[in-house]
Amino acid sequence: MGDIANDISSTIGRRIHAERVIRDWSLAELAERSGVSKAMLSTIERGMTSPTAALLVRIAVAFGMTLSTLIARAELQGGGVLREADQPVWRDPDTGYVRRHLSPASDMPLELIKVHLPPGARVSLPAASYAFIKQQIWLISGRLEFTEGDVVHRLEPGDCLALGAPSDCTFHAMEAGADYLVALVRG
């Protein structure tokens, strides 16, 4: 029984450390924001002690999240696997555009999507579809002409494009079609 508690404490400790690093906070800064001593935070992060719910609540609040969110993130720390056979695939009946959602379900703001655009296919998306997200497009194979507002980007395999402010966009696969990865961050 003690081993299970230690595993959970260790996982929660790693998650707290990860949340602190993401924010670029020192132990001292987290201690100040949470009211939990640096020494206690250090032992929690290293999985050497099993923190009480009261301590975890104070730490979670310092991160701007609920206790349940902190615990859920700790449980997801090990990473879920979304097998290829279970990845949702959607095909546009008009253009043959195929979109495969690669990312496992999680509360992480990152999503990975693989897209196949058949030769000559053209897909246009309004600026509204880019509100509240940031994206990068990495061309795996083929050639892609990507129009972002008034700017046209001609992408070759291996090229990676970071999209700017939301604007109307058009994806146009050249003669060989195009396979590309979209890395999308919400928020």
Side-chain angles (χ1 to χ4, degrees):
M1 204 60 156
D3 289 344
I4 293 169
N6 287 343
D7 286 349
I8 293 168
S9 295
S10 174
T11 302
I12 288 173
R14 284 194 306 273
R15 186 72 239 170
I16 289 168
H17 177 76
E19 292 291 337
R20 183 171 64 77
V21 168
I22 287 166
R23 290 164 177 78
D24 197 26
W25 292 357
S26 64
L27 263 179
E29 187 164 358
L30 179 55
E32 187 179 317
R33 290 172 180 259
S34 66
V36 177
S37 74
K38 281 188 350 184
M40 177 57 78
L41 287 169
S42 178
T43 58
I44 291 170
E45 283 191 3
R46 289 181 287 144
M48 296 175 69
T49 187
S50 187
T52 63
L55 283 180
L56 285 179
V57 166
R58 286 161 58 186
I59 294 166
V61 168
F63 290 141
M65 62 178 71
T66 64
L67 175 60
S68 59
T69 300
L70 179 62
I71 290 171
R73 286 189 180 183
E75 289 171 351
L76 290 168
Q77 175 107 0
V81 174
L82 181 58
R83 302 284 176 207
E84 183 177 19
D86 299 325
Q87 294 166 357
V89 176
W90 177 76
R91 186 178 186 278
D92 177 16
D94 289 342
T95 62
Y97 164 95
V98 178
R99 179 184 175 99
R100 175 181 289 274
H101 191 93
L102 305 174
S103 300
S106 78
D107 62 352
M108 188 184 296
L110 172 72
E111 288 181 41
L112 297 176
I113 298 124
K114 184 177 180 203
V115 177
H116 172 72
L117 208 51
R122 185 182 300 266
V123 174
S124 296
L125 300 170
S129 60
Y130 296 96
F132 312 114
I133 61 171
K134 293 187 183 331
Q135 290 188 77
Q136 291 188 6
I137 299 165
W138 178 56
L139 187 61
I140 298 167
S141 65
R143 290 182 39 237
L144 182 68
E145 189 175 85
F146 180 77
T147 306
E148 183 179 19
D150 297 329
V151 180
V152 178
H153 305 279
R154 287 177 181 82
L155 304 178
E156 300 288 333
D159 290 350
C160 188
L161 171 67
L163 274 62
S167 58
D168 293 344
C169 293
T170 301
F171 295 81
H172 178 213
M174 307 314 278
E175 62 285 341
D179 287 297
Y180 54 93
L181 178 74
V182 177
L184 176 154
V185 178
R186 298 184 300 271

